[in-house]
Amino acid sequence: MYEGIRSPAVHMPKTLNDLISASSRFPNATFWAGGTFIMSRNDYYPTRESKDIISLSGIPELKRINRTDKYLEMGSMVTFEQMLTVGKQVLPGLLQLTLENTATMIIRKQMTFGGAICTPGVRLALSGTLAALQAEVEVKTSLGPKTETQWIAINRLYDKRGVLELKKNDLVTRIRIGFERETFSSFILAGNPMINPNETVMLSFACSYNQSVINRFRMCLTFPTSLFLIPHELDLMMHGTMLPLTSQQIERVVQSIMEEIYTISPHEIPPIQTERAKRFVESSLHELNAQSLSER
Amino acid sequence: MKIECTIDNKHILLNVNSNKPLNLILLEDLEINQIYSRCRDGNCGNCVVLLNDEAVLSCLIPAFRLKGVRILTFEGYQKSRFWHDLERAYSDTGSHPCPHCYASKTLIFESLLQMIIKSELGPSQDEEPDEEVIVQEIGLNTCACLDAHEIIAIFNSAATYRRRRRVRRY
């Protein structure tokens, strides 16, 4: 049945240095985190194009969660379920909502942060949420005998269509989120990015306000295969705005987002996604209004 | 790739492709026929097995992850004493999964029951699952033969038997 199918070589580095040297020795190998995305592809097995595998599961540094003065830091092999155990005091509300709404516990025990961020063709909910939380990722680049390490904002990993822009020898090793907590957060998901990506819409929204005045407004709208939108100008536009928002202000936000969607992908986005996006934005802003009014 | 592991309490040396999914290993190499997976992409939830006592979808576990692990399929689970707790719970409540998803749902129930025991034994990462979690986890198997009330009733009944078993043991 599987004649001629090659068994890929599996490399299992034990330290970060081993990993970096393995990645430069086997530049075409696939990095294997939890494997949930790779193995859920229809053409995963059997296939004649089996690339070698670098398994990341044996590197303890990638499985650590650290709390520093400024940041909550997690290794790229930390699983979703492991992250949910760190406690509500430490975990941002928006991240908790996103993780809880992703798959079931059985799958979450296998899904890793690094894997979810670096899926090649499909953007999952986690990327949008981390972008809304202004998370940063540590990218290690192997340059022959040297290794370059830099922290970059997560939104710089993707273009506006959500295509991963990492180079072949780049490795995401850690993710960090600042301790500044949002006053309001909302995560809305319709559809399943793995089953029907052309109908799925995910909205991650984090907002901070003080005495009803908005001081941070971060929204990220994700269509799994066609859009990764962070409307930066909205942050400027909404900064200093009083809550509750008027219906004209809500309409202006919605319109500004819809215009951006049409500019990025004028024809390709199915109407169900644009309709869902519009309603999600409206709904989250109404929720924000309701929360601010209830606190008076 | 040669892999040593324990499947249904038998020590086994497998010689399989390193990236072959566990469900295909069980079906093709070990001829365990109680895996009814059809979807090939982790969506039907019919290929659940217990890996080191935790439920996993066997279609999402590659062969190279099996080194030294303990796998229990439904066939092996039926030979364990824990199976009787669920068997009795099915009979007490008068509800049971359909033949198609029987094995998978039973093993998901078992992994949830293991969580109770772990949480009662002391500090553990696993908390005792609430009703919402139980229904959500069983929903990993997309077959709709049991409704939420039936799922909760089965779980509660099985949990009672499992707790009694623990009391008797100490």
Side-chain angles (χ1 to χ4, degrees):
Chain A
M1 191 173 172
Y2 301 129
E3 227 172 285
I5 300 293
R6 171 182 166 266
S7 177
V10 182
H11 309 283
M12 295 190 171
K14 299 276 175 242
T15 63
L16 268 179
N17 287 339
D18 288 353
L19 170 64
I20 288 157
S21 78
S23 74
S24 52
R25 270 186 296 140
F26 311 103
N28 294 321
T30 306
F31 291 110
W32 195 287
T36 48
F37 180 80
I38 300 175
M39 293 195 75
S40 61
R41 303 287 88 192
N42 270 326
D43 56 356
Y44 166 70
Y45 191 90
T47 172
R48 287 188 189 279
E49 292 167 26
S50 302
K51 289 179 184 172
D52 286 353
I53 292 166
I54 299 177
S55 168
L56 307 177
S57 61
I59 306 168
E61 289 108 305
L62 300 183
K63 293 180 180 172
R64 281 190 201 129
I65 302 172
N66 278 331
R67 190 187 162 159
T68 65
D69 290 344
K70 282 185 176 177
Y71 299 104
L72 172 64
E73 278 182 9
M74 63 220 89
S76 56
M77 282 296 286
V78 169
T79 66
F80 283 24
E81 199 55 31
Q82 199 183 336
M83 200 64 201
L84 280 170
T85 60
V86 302
K88 286 181 182 171
Q89 295 297 320
V90 181
L91 197 64
L94 180 58
L95 184 57
Q96 187 179 354
L97 271 176
T98 308
L99 298 178
E100 284 172 348
N101 280 289
T102 306
T104 68
M105 188 175 55
I106 290 170
I107 307 282
R108 285 200 299 263
K109 282 184 177 172
Q110 214 180 320
M111 289 178 88
T112 61
F113 270 66
I117 289 171
C118 296
T119 49
V122 179
R123 277 291 58 71
L124 304 176
L126 182 70
S127 305
T129 292
L130 290 176
L133 292 170
Q134 295 179 303
E136 292 176 316
V137 290
E138 184 189 53
V139 179
K140 285 191 187 286
T141 311
S142 151
L143 305 163
K146 279 186 184 173
T147 309
E148 191 184 273
T149 305
Q150 53 176 337
W151 284 96
I152 59 169
I154 192 157
N155 50 311
R156 285 182 51 207
L157 286 185
Y158 316 109
D159 68 7
K160 285 197 168 186
R161 290 165 165 270
V163 177
L164 188 67
E165 292 194 316
L166 279 180
K167 284 180 248 113
K168 232 178 194 178
N169 50 351
D170 284 348
L171 273 167
V172 171
T173 46
R174 277 185 295 174
I175 298 111
R176 70 181 182 195
I177 306 168
F179 269 123
E180 196 189 330
R181 289 289 170 259
E182 68 276 17
T183 332
F184 171 83
S185 57
S186 170
F187 173 74
I188 315 178
L189 162 82
N192 183 331
M194 303 295 280
I195 299 171
N196 48 5
N198 293 328
E199 291 180 10
T200 303
V201 176
M202 295 163 276
L203 175 83
S204 303
F205 175 36
C207 178
S208 294
Y209 56 86
N210 191 7
Q211 294 184 337
S212 296
V213 178
I214 293 175
N215 48 36
R216 199 169 73 124
F217 189 95
R218 288 282 290 190
M219 206 174 246
C220 182
L221 200 59
T222 314
F223 299 171
T225 50
S226 51
L227 186 87
F228 186 74
L229 178 66
I230 305 162
H232 294 286
E233 72 284 1
L234 272 185
D235 198 2
L236 293 172
M237 189 172 109
M238 299 307 286
H239 193 270
T241 307
M242 278 289 286
L243 289 169
L245 301 171
T246 62
S247 37
Q248 286 83 3
Q249 284 170 321
I250 291 176
E251 184 57 34
R252 226 172 58 210
V253 172
V254 172
Q255 210 164 349
S256 147
I257 288 175
M258 297 317 283
E259 275 167 17
E260 271 213 56
I261 292 176
Y262 288 123
T263 319
I264 296 165
S265 303
H267 308 297
E268 294 158 34
I269 294 176
I272 186 170
Q273 280 184 313
T274 48
E275 187 60 25
R276 277 177 166 168
K278 198 173 162 184
R279 301 294 166 218
F280 285 2
V281 174
E282 276 174 1
S283 155
S284 63
L285 295 178
H286 285 298
E287 249 182 79
L288 171 64
N289 273 353
Q291 181 177 308
S292 74
L293 286 170
S294 71
E295 286 168 357
R296 282 188 174 181
Chain B
M1 184 181 203
K2 285 186 178 159
I3 296 152
E4 278 185 73
C5 60
T6 307
I7 298 179
D8 291 341
N9 300 318
K10 284 178 206 146
H11 195 68
I12 286 176
L13 177 67
L14 293 164
N15 193 358
V16 290
N17 276 11
S18 57
N19 59 342
K20 190 170 186 177
L22 174 59
N23 63 333
L24 292 184
I25 295 174
L26 295 174
L27 277 167
E28 295 171 359
D29 298 273
L30 300 170
E31 294 178 357
I32 294 172
N33 300 319
Q34 281 176 345
I35 300 225
Y36 297 105
S37 63
R38 306 160 303 209
C39 67
R40 292 168 56 90
D41 58 4
N43 289 323
C44 75
N46 266 328
C47 62
V48 174
V49 296
L50 296 179
L51 192 145
N52 295 338
D53 294 331
E54 284 187 2
V56 291
L57 287 177
S58 58
C59 65
L60 298 183
I61 305 290
F64 71 85
R65 282 272 165 92
L66 300 179
K67 248 179 209 172
V69 302
R70 204 172 61 249
I71 295 154
L72 202 60
T73 68
F74 184 63
E75 215 171 278
Y77 175 66
Q78 276 177 302
K79 291 173 192 157
S80 77
R81 60 204 165 104
F82 293 136
W83 155 237
H84 300 296
D85 298 340
L86 272 162
E87 203 181 19
R88 281 196 277 179
Y90 290 149
S91 134
D92 287 356
T93 56
S95 323
H96 53 80
C98 72
H100 222 80
C101 65
Y102 198 94
S104 281
K105 281 197 177 142
T106 302
L107 291 177
I108 300 174
F109 273 126
E110 177 55 36
S111 82
L112 293 167
L113 290 170
Q114 298 270 356
M115 278 173 69
I116 295 188
I117 303 305
K118 278 185 204 163
S119 68
E120 284 176 2
L121 280 175
S124 149
Q125 285 207 332
D126 292 327
E127 282 175 25
E128 194 167 323
D130 59 26
E131 293 189 353
E132 202 184 326
V133 171
I134 294 162
V135 174
Q136 196 191 22
E137 292 308 303
I138 295 292
L140 177 66
N141 184 297
T142 48
C143 177
C145 60
L146 291 177
D147 65 29
H149 289 293
E150 288 173 316
I151 291 169
I152 301 298
I154 293 168
F155 181 81
N156 288 340
S157 170
T160 312
Y161 285 120
R162 185 61 54 92
R163 286 195 179 104
R164 269 191 222 155
R165 190 184 287 282
R166 280 197 53 230
V167 170
R168 277 206 298 272
R169 206 165 41 171
Y170 293 113

